[in-house]
Amino acid sequence: MRADRLLSLLFLLQTHGRMSAPDLSTRLEVSVRTILRDVEALSSAGVPVWTERGRGGGIALMPNWRTDVSGFTTAEARALFSGASGTGDPQRGAWESAVRKLLAATPEGRREPFRRAATRILVEPGGWRSRQRDHPHLAELQEAVFSARRIRMRYRSAGATRTSTRTLDPLGLVAKGGVWYLVGKVADGERLFRVDRVLDVELLDDTVADDLPELAAVWARLRAEVERHDTSGTPVRMRVAVGDAGLLLRIADAQLLDEPRVVAHGEEVEITATFRALPAARAVLLGLGTTVHVLEPAELVADLVRTARDVLERYGDPGAQAE
């Protein structure tokens, strides 16, 4: 671990020039004292590095000195080729280390376009109302994919109604809309599993078959099946006060099939969104009471009225009972 850190320190100095010890400690996630010890270790190994105290000081390498050590570790190569740049990805640290090495190996005069690209382009995979999901077993699944190992996992079905244990060959991992999916081959074909529903993972000694199908082709087929299944939603047009729009969209998010369309109308906004099914729309919107005014479809409006009457009949009128 220290050897990797020393190389990272060296590449940071080679890429950025003079840097302060606190900045280096933050980037490498160690204490300032550790950074100073690492600088001494580099100096003892013959690296021309020195420390300047006072305002404008810092740690720097001798001008024009470069190292030809630019080889990637296995983890860095995996992270770089898999595009593991998103926050929360277990490979994020290895990806950053690989990028530092690439920058260090680039001549100084050609680094600025890369620096600008890194600071001016930001990719946020989730939508505005998407929730941050936990993927506690993502690192284990990545290791299974990289090492071509068969896995046994415990999986929670949609709705948390039951769990099952499955043994499968992992074809690969796909990140879509901030959600990770495992594509796996089971006895009856290829299946799609949401990583945030994986409850436990065991890497087995068996290696996966050599004749597994290509991930891209399997993913395209499975995605098409999911999209065909999700086309029969319930489009709903509704109005809500501007201040309540955010609450409505947060509550409804899990039951929507598409990105809602929001149009301002004075102190109200009109929202058009497709719910998974009419019962899902009823459950969400009835709970909001008079906060939301449903305009279409007429079927949903009639269903809300009928359900409200049924509720009133069951519980009675509290005002009438008091009289």
Side-chain angles (χ1 to χ4, degrees), residues 106-139:
T106 303
E108 177 62 34
R110 298 170 59 185
R111 291 177 188 169
E112 185 55 33
F114 300 115
R115 289 198 186 103
R116 182 169 292 274
T119 57
R120 300 300 179 185
I121 302 296
L122 180 63
V123 177
E124 173 59 57
W128 283 110
R129 289 166 300 280
S130 61
R131 301 175 303 280
Q132 182 67 35
R133 295 177 171 87
D134 294 327
H135 301 95
H137 298 289
L138 179 57

mmCIF file of all heavy atoms in Angstrom, residues 106-139:
data_model
loop_
_atom_site.group_PDB
_atom_site.id
_atom_site.type_symbol
_atom_site.label_atom_id
_atom_site.label_comp_id
_atom_site.label_asym_id
_atom_site.label_seq_id
_atom_site.Cartn_x
_atom_site.Cartn_y
_atom_site.Cartn_z
ATOM 1 N N THR A 106 1.908 12.549 -19.764
ATOM 2 C CA THR A 106 1.643 13.496 -20.847
ATOM 3 C C THR A 106 2.588 14.691 -20.724
ATOM 4 O O THR A 106 2.734 15.249 -19.637
ATOM 5 C CB THR A 106 0.187 13.987 -20.775
ATOM 6 O OG1 THR A 106 -0.694 12.856 -20.831
ATOM 7 C CG2 THR A 106 -0.126 14.925 -21.930
ATOM 8 N N PRO A 107 3.221 15.116 -21.800
ATOM 9 C CA PRO A 107 4.108 16.284 -21.729
ATOM 10 C C PRO A 107 3.371 17.504 -21.181
ATOM 11 O O PRO A 107 2.174 17.689 -21.447
ATOM 12 C CB PRO A 107 4.516 16.495 -23.198
ATOM 13 C CG PRO A 107 4.374 15.143 -23.819
ATOM 14 C CD PRO A 107 3.209 14.489 -23.132
ATOM 15 N N GLU A 108 4.087 18.335 -20.433
ATOM 16 C CA GLU A 108 3.483 19.472 -19.748
ATOM 17 C C GLU A 108 2.679 20.357 -20.702
ATOM 18 O O GLU A 108 1.582 20.808 -20.380
ATOM 19 C CB GLU A 108 4.581 20.304 -19.069
ATOM 20 C CG GLU A 108 4.083 21.566 -18.381
ATOM 21 C CD GLU A 108 3.112 21.266 -17.253
ATOM 22 O OE1 GLU A 108 3.277 20.229 -16.594
ATOM 23 O OE2 GLU A 108 2.178 22.069 -17.053
ATOM 24 N N GLY A 109 3.183 20.591 -21.870
ATOM 25 C CA GLY A 109 2.506 21.489 -22.794
ATOM 26 C C GLY A 109 1.199 20.959 -23.348
ATOM 27 O O GLY A 109 0.426 21.712 -23.951
ATOM 28 N N ARG A 110 0.929 19.676 -23.147
ATOM 29 C CA ARG A 110 -0.292 19.079 -23.694
ATOM 30 C C ARG A 110 -1.294 18.684 -22.607
ATOM 31 O O ARG A 110 -2.300 18.046 -22.891
ATOM 32 C CB ARG A 110 0.073 17.846 -24.520
ATOM 33 C CG ARG A 110 0.958 18.182 -25.723
ATOM 34 C CD ARG A 110 1.494 16.931 -26.389
ATOM 35 N NE ARG A 110 0.417 16.068 -26.860
ATOM 36 C CZ ARG A 110 0.641 14.859 -27.398
ATOM 37 N NH1 ARG A 110 1.884 14.397 -27.493
ATOM 38 N NH2 ARG A 110 -0.376 14.135 -27.827
ATOM 39 N N ARG A 111 -1.029 19.081 -21.359
ATOM 40 C CA ARG A 111 -1.906 18.666 -20.267
ATOM 41 C C ARG A 111 -3.139 19.547 -20.121
ATOM 42 O O ARG A 111 -4.176 19.104 -19.644
ATOM 43 C CB ARG A 111 -1.145 18.686 -18.938
ATOM 44 C CG ARG A 111 -0.077 17.631 -18.828
ATOM 45 C CD ARG A 111 0.668 17.764 -17.515
ATOM 46 N NE ARG A 111 1.822 16.883 -17.481
ATOM 47 C CZ ARG A 111 2.765 16.946 -16.563
ATOM 48 N NH1 ARG A 111 2.688 17.861 -15.607
ATOM 49 N NH2 ARG A 111 3.795 16.123 -16.600
ATOM 50 N N GLU A 112 -3.055 20.816 -20.521
ATOM 51 C CA GLU A 112 -4.138 21.754 -20.255
ATOM 52 C C GLU A 112 -5.486 21.304 -20.825
ATOM 53 O O GLU A 112 -6.514 21.415 -20.137
ATOM 54 C CB GLU A 112 -3.788 23.144 -20.774
ATOM 55 C CG GLU A 112 -4.816 24.225 -20.422
ATOM 56 C CD GLU A 112 -5.071 24.302 -18.924
ATOM 57 O OE1 GLU A 112 -4.142 24.052 -18.135
ATOM 58 O OE2 GLU A 112 -6.223 24.618 -18.561
ATOM 59 N N PRO A 113 -5.572 20.793 -22.073
ATOM 60 C CA PRO A 113 -6.882 20.337 -22.559
ATOM 61 C C PRO A 113 -7.490 19.234 -21.700
ATOM 62 O O PRO A 113 -8.712 19.194 -21.507
ATOM 63 C CB PRO A 113 -6.569 19.830 -23.975
ATOM 64 C CG PRO A 113 -5.330 20.560 -24.375
ATOM 65 C CD PRO A 113 -4.542 20.698 -23.117
ATOM 66 N N PHE A 114 -6.636 18.345 -21.169
ATOM 67 C CA PHE A 114 -7.149 17.268 -20.328
ATOM 68 C C PHE A 114 -7.639 17.814 -18.988
ATOM 69 O O PHE A 114 -8.663 17.388 -18.462
ATOM 70 C CB PHE A 114 -6.070 16.211 -20.116
ATOM 71 C CG PHE A 114 -5.590 15.585 -21.400
ATOM 72 C CD1 PHE A 114 -4.291 15.765 -21.834
ATOM 73 C CD2 PHE A 114 -6.442 14.830 -22.185
ATOM 74 C CE1 PHE A 114 -3.848 15.202 -23.015
ATOM 75 C CE2 PHE A 114 -6.007 14.257 -23.363
ATOM 76 C CZ PHE A 114 -4.707 14.447 -23.781
ATOM 77 N N ARG A 115 -6.873 18.763 -18.425
ATOM 78 C CA ARG A 115 -7.303 19.371 -17.166
ATOM 79 C C ARG A 115 -8.632 20.098 -17.354
ATOM 80 O O ARG A 115 -9.529 20.021 -16.510
ATOM 81 C CB ARG A 115 -6.244 20.362 -16.670
ATOM 82 C CG ARG A 115 -4.964 19.728 -16.147
ATOM 83 C CD ARG A 115 -4.205 20.734 -15.291
ATOM 84 N NE ARG A 115 -2.916 20.222 -14.880
ATOM 85 C CZ ARG A 115 -1.763 20.574 -15.427
ATOM 86 N NH1 ARG A 115 -1.746 21.432 -16.427
ATOM 87 N NH2 ARG A 115 -0.625 20.075 -14.993
ATOM 88 N N ARG A 116 -8.763 20.819 -18.460
ATOM 89 C CA ARG A 116 -9.996 21.563 -18.709
ATOM 90 C C ARG A 116 -11.173 20.607 -18.874
ATOM 91 O O ARG A 116 -12.272 20.862 -18.375
ATOM 92 C CB ARG A 116 -9.838 22.439 -19.950
ATOM 93 C CG ARG A 116 -11.068 23.292 -20.258
ATOM 94 C CD ARG A 116 -10.761 24.312 -21.328
ATOM 95 N NE ARG A 116 -9.834 25.294 -20.815
ATOM 96 C CZ ARG A 116 -10.198 26.375 -20.145
ATOM 97 N NH1 ARG A 116 -11.476 26.594 -19.882
ATOM 98 N NH2 ARG A 116 -9.309 27.240 -19.723
ATOM 99 N N ALA A 117 -10.947 19.504 -19.585
ATOM 100 C CA ALA A 117 -12.026 18.529 -19.761
ATOM 101 C C ALA A 117 -12.471 17.960 -18.422
ATOM 102 O O ALA A 117 -13.666 17.737 -18.184
ATOM 103 C CB ALA A 117 -11.560 17.410 -20.688
ATOM 104 N N ALA A 118 -11.516 17.731 -17.527
ATOM 105 C CA ALA A 118 -11.841 17.152 -16.220
ATOM 106 C C ALA A 118 -12.612 18.122 -15.329
ATOM 107 O O ALA A 118 -13.420 17.710 -14.507
ATOM 108 C CB ALA A 118 -10.559 16.698 -15.521
ATOM 109 N N THR A 119 -12.359 19.434 -15.489
ATOM 110 C CA THR A 119 -12.981 20.422 -14.614
ATOM 111 C C THR A 119 -14.226 21.062 -15.213
ATOM 112 O O THR A 119 -15.006 21.675 -14.487
ATOM 113 C CB THR A 119 -11.978 21.535 -14.255
ATOM 114 O OG1 THR A 119 -11.499 22.142 -15.470
ATOM 115 C CG2 THR A 119 -10.802 20.962 -13.484
ATOM 116 N N ARG A 120 -14.438 20.938 -16.525
ATOM 117 C CA ARG A 120 -15.561 21.610 -17.182
ATOM 118 C C ARG A 120 -16.679 20.670 -17.615
ATOM 119 O O ARG A 120 -17.712 21.139 -18.074
ATOM 120 C CB ARG A 120 -15.054 22.381 -18.419
ATOM 121 C CG ARG A 120 -14.027 23.450 -18.104
ATOM 122 C CD ARG A 120 -14.584 24.496 -17.165
ATOM 123 N NE ARG A 120 -13.590 25.514 -16.847
ATOM 124 C CZ ARG A 120 -13.787 26.500 -15.979
ATOM 125 N NH1 ARG A 120 -14.940 26.576 -15.336
ATOM 126 N NH2 ARG A 120 -12.850 27.386 -15.746
ATOM 127 N N ILE A 121 -16.458 19.364 -17.516
ATOM 128 C CA ILE A 121 -17.496 18.396 -17.864
ATOM 129 C C ILE A 121 -17.823 17.577 -16.625
ATOM 130 O O ILE A 121 -16.940 16.971 -16.027
ATOM 131 C CB ILE A 121 -17.042 17.451 -18.996
ATOM 132 C CG1 ILE A 121 -16.653 18.248 -20.241
ATOM 133 C CG2 ILE A 121 -18.151 16.449 -19.320
ATOM 134 C CD1 ILE A 121 -17.793 19.016 -20.874
ATOM 135 N N LEU A 122 -19.088 17.598 -16.231
ATOM 136 C CA LEU A 122 -19.528 16.848 -15.052
ATOM 137 C C LEU A 122 -20.684 15.944 -15.451
ATOM 138 O O LEU A 122 -21.653 16.399 -16.059
ATOM 139 C CB LEU A 122 -19.985 17.804 -13.942
ATOM 140 C CG LEU A 122 -20.478 17.168 -12.647
ATOM 141 C CD1 LEU A 122 -19.368 16.388 -11.973
ATOM 142 C CD2 LEU A 122 -21.025 18.227 -11.707
ATOM 143 N N VAL A 123 -20.572 14.667 -15.146
ATOM 144 C CA VAL A 123 -21.619 13.702 -15.465
ATOM 145 C C VAL A 123 -22.305 13.274 -14.178
ATOM 146 O O VAL A 123 -21.663 12.754 -13.264
ATOM 147 C CB VAL A 123 -21.032 12.467 -16.187
ATOM 148 C CG1 VAL A 123 -22.144 11.448 -16.448
ATOM 149 C CG2 VAL A 123 -20.368 12.886 -17.494
ATOM 150 N N GLU A 124 -23.608 13.539 -14.093
ATOM 151 C CA GLU A 124 -24.408 13.132 -12.940
ATOM 152 C C GLU A 124 -25.379 12.058 -13.420
ATOM 153 O O GLU A 124 -26.328 12.347 -14.154
ATOM 154 C CB GLU A 124 -25.178 14.326 -12.376
ATOM 155 C CG GLU A 124 -26.161 13.975 -11.270
ATOM 156 C CD GLU A 124 -25.481 13.325 -10.090
ATOM 157 O OE1 GLU A 124 -24.565 13.937 -9.525
ATOM 158 O OE2 GLU A 124 -25.861 12.184 -9.748
ATOM 159 N N PRO A 125 -25.168 10.788 -13.063
ATOM 160 C CA PRO A 125 -25.975 9.713 -13.635
ATOM 161 C C PRO A 125 -27.423 9.690 -13.191
ATOM 162 O O PRO A 125 -28.276 9.203 -13.907
ATOM 163 C CB PRO A 125 -25.242 8.443 -13.166
ATOM 164 C CG PRO A 125 -24.487 8.867 -11.957
ATOM 165 C CD PRO A 125 -24.100 10.295 -12.180
ATOM 166 N N GLY A 126 -27.734 10.217 -12.018
ATOM 167 C CA GLY A 126 -29.104 10.156 -11.519
ATOM 168 C C GLY A 126 -29.942 11.339 -11.975
ATOM 169 O O GLY A 126 -29.430 12.376 -12.377
ATOM 170 N N GLY A 127 -31.267 11.183 -11.932
ATOM 171 C CA GLY A 127 -32.172 12.266 -12.272
ATOM 172 C C GLY A 127 -32.360 13.203 -11.088
ATOM 173 O O GLY A 127 -31.831 12.996 -10.003
ATOM 174 N N TRP A 128 -33.179 14.247 -11.301
ATOM 175 C CA TRP A 128 -33.373 15.251 -10.256
ATOM 176 C C TRP A 128 -33.996 14.653 -9.008
ATOM 177 O O TRP A 128 -33.671 15.024 -7.903
ATOM 178 C CB TRP A 128 -34.277 16.368 -10.786
ATOM 179 C CG TRP A 128 -33.559 17.315 -11.696
ATOM 180 C CD1 TRP A 128 -33.727 17.441 -13.031
ATOM 181 C CD2 TRP A 128 -32.547 18.252 -11.331
ATOM 182 N NE1 TRP A 128 -32.878 18.402 -13.533
ATOM 183 C CE2 TRP A 128 -32.151 18.924 -12.508
ATOM 184 C CE3 TRP A 128 -31.944 18.588 -10.125
ATOM 185 C CZ2 TRP A 128 -31.170 19.905 -12.511
ATOM 186 C CZ3 TRP A 128 -30.966 19.578 -10.127
ATOM 187 C CH2 TRP A 128 -30.590 20.232 -11.307
ATOM 188 N N ARG A 129 -34.928 13.743 -9.183
ATOM 189 C CA ARG A 129 -35.628 13.206 -8.018
ATOM 190 C C ARG A 129 -35.211 11.784 -7.687
ATOM 191 O O ARG A 129 -35.833 11.131 -6.863
ATOM 192 C CB ARG A 129 -37.148 13.252 -8.265
ATOM 193 C CG ARG A 129 -37.695 14.660 -8.234
ATOM 194 C CD ARG A 129 -39.088 14.713 -8.815
ATOM 195 N NE ARG A 129 -39.102 14.277 -10.193
ATOM 196 C CZ ARG A 129 -38.751 15.042 -11.220
ATOM 197 N NH1 ARG A 129 -38.345 16.290 -10.997
ATOM 198 N NH2 ARG A 129 -38.790 14.593 -12.457
ATOM 199 N N SER A 130 -34.196 11.306 -8.364
ATOM 200 C CA SER A 130 -33.768 9.933 -8.081
ATOM 201 C C SER A 130 -33.096 9.854 -6.724
ATOM 202 O O SER A 130 -32.379 10.765 -6.320
ATOM 203 C CB SER A 130 -32.813 9.438 -9.173
ATOM 204 O OG SER A 130 -31.664 10.248 -9.227
ATOM 205 N N ARG A 131 -33.341 8.777 -6.030
ATOM 206 C CA ARG A 131 -32.757 8.600 -4.701
ATOM 207 C C ARG A 131 -31.384 7.956 -4.801
ATOM 208 O O ARG A 131 -31.119 7.152 -5.697
ATOM 209 C CB ARG A 131 -33.677 7.698 -3.849
ATOM 210 C CG ARG A 131 -35.068 8.251 -3.692
ATOM 211 C CD ARG A 131 -35.942 7.255 -2.942
ATOM 212 N NE ARG A 131 -35.999 5.960 -3.588
ATOM 213 C CZ ARG A 131 -36.770 5.689 -4.634
ATOM 214 N NH1 ARG A 131 -37.530 6.626 -5.159
ATOM 215 N NH2 ARG A 131 -36.792 4.483 -5.162
ATOM 216 N N GLN A 132 -30.515 8.314 -3.857
ATOM 217 C CA GLN A 132 -29.196 7.697 -3.802
ATOM 218 C C GLN A 132 -29.352 6.269 -3.294
ATOM 219 O O GLN A 132 -29.835 6.034 -2.189
ATOM 220 C CB GLN A 132 -28.282 8.495 -2.858
ATOM 221 C CG GLN A 132 -26.875 7.957 -2.778
ATOM 222 C CD GLN A 132 -26.105 8.117 -4.070
ATOM 223 O OE1 GLN A 132 -26.290 9.092 -4.776
ATOM 224 N NE2 GLN A 132 -25.248 7.158 -4.395
ATOM 225 N N ARG A 133 -28.974 5.300 -4.114
ATOM 226 C CA ARG A 133 -29.150 3.899 -3.750
ATOM 227 C C ARG A 133 -27.839 3.313 -3.246
ATOM 228 O O ARG A 133 -26.776 3.657 -3.745
ATOM 229 C CB ARG A 133 -29.676 3.101 -4.945
ATOM 230 C CG ARG A 133 -31.083 3.509 -5.386
ATOM 231 C CD ARG A 133 -31.515 2.731 -6.604
ATOM 232 N NE ARG A 133 -32.918 2.930 -6.919
ATOM 233 C CZ ARG A 133 -33.371 3.920 -7.666
ATOM 234 N NH1 ARG A 133 -32.528 4.800 -8.164
ATOM 235 N NH2 ARG A 133 -34.669 4.039 -7.910
ATOM 236 N N ASP A 134 -27.965 2.429 -2.281
ATOM 237 C CA ASP A 134 -26.794 1.741 -1.751
ATOM 238 C C ASP A 134 -26.558 0.449 -2.529
ATOM 239 O O ASP A 134 -27.509 -0.275 -2.844
ATOM 240 C CB ASP A 134 -26.994 1.421 -0.261
ATOM 241 C CG ASP A 134 -27.058 2.681 0.588
ATOM 242 O OD1 ASP A 134 -26.375 3.663 0.221
ATOM 243 O OD2 ASP A 134 -27.790 2.679 1.584
ATOM 244 N N HIS A 135 -25.294 0.182 -2.836
ATOM 245 C CA HIS A 135 -24.927 -1.064 -3.514
ATOM 246 C C HIS A 135 -23.805 -1.724 -2.707
ATOM 247 O O HIS A 135 -22.646 -1.725 -3.122
ATOM 248 C CB HIS A 135 -24.452 -0.774 -4.941
ATOM 249 C CG HIS A 135 -25.486 -0.084 -5.789
ATOM 250 N ND1 HIS A 135 -25.522 1.290 -5.946
ATOM 251 C CD2 HIS A 135 -26.519 -0.578 -6.503
ATOM 252 C CE1 HIS A 135 -26.532 1.599 -6.739
ATOM 253 N NE2 HIS A 135 -27.149 0.496 -7.098
ATOM 254 N N PRO A 136 -24.137 -2.267 -1.525
ATOM 255 C CA PRO A 136 -23.093 -2.775 -0.632
ATOM 256 C C PRO A 136 -22.294 -3.941 -1.198
ATOM 257 O O PRO A 136 -21.177 -4.194 -0.743
ATOM 258 C CB PRO A 136 -23.873 -3.196 0.619
ATOM 259 C CG PRO A 136 -25.276 -3.416 0.152
ATOM 260 C CD PRO A 136 -25.483 -2.423 -0.950
ATOM 261 N N HIS A 137 -22.835 -4.656 -2.182
ATOM 262 C CA HIS A 137 -22.129 -5.828 -2.725
ATOM 263 C C HIS A 137 -21.572 -5.573 -4.125
ATOM 264 O O HIS A 137 -21.190 -6.531 -4.810
ATOM 265 C CB HIS A 137 -23.067 -7.038 -2.734
ATOM 266 C CG HIS A 137 -23.536 -7.436 -1.363
ATOM 267 N ND1 HIS A 137 -22.698 -8.012 -0.433
ATOM 268 C CD2 HIS A 137 -24.750 -7.310 -0.767
ATOM 269 C CE1 HIS A 137 -23.374 -8.240 0.679
ATOM 270 N NE2 HIS A 137 -24.615 -7.826 0.501
ATOM 271 N N LEU A 138 -21.529 -4.298 -4.529
ATOM 272 C CA LEU A 138 -21.047 -3.987 -5.871
ATOM 273 C C LEU A 138 -19.586 -4.392 -6.048
ATOM 274 O O LEU A 138 -19.208 -4.953 -7.086
ATOM 275 C CB LEU A 138 -21.219 -2.490 -6.159
ATOM 276 C CG LEU A 138 -20.726 -2.001 -7.519
ATOM 277 C CD1 LEU A 138 -21.414 -2.752 -8.651
ATOM 278 C CD2 LEU A 138 -20.946 -0.500 -7.657
ATOM 279 N N ALA A 139 -18.744 -4.149 -5.047
ATOM 280 C CA ALA A 139 -17.323 -4.498 -5.168
ATOM 281 C C ALA A 139 -17.135 -6.004 -5.344
ATOM 282 O O ALA A 139 -16.309 -6.446 -6.157
ATOM 283 C CB ALA A 139 -16.560 -4.009 -3.932
#
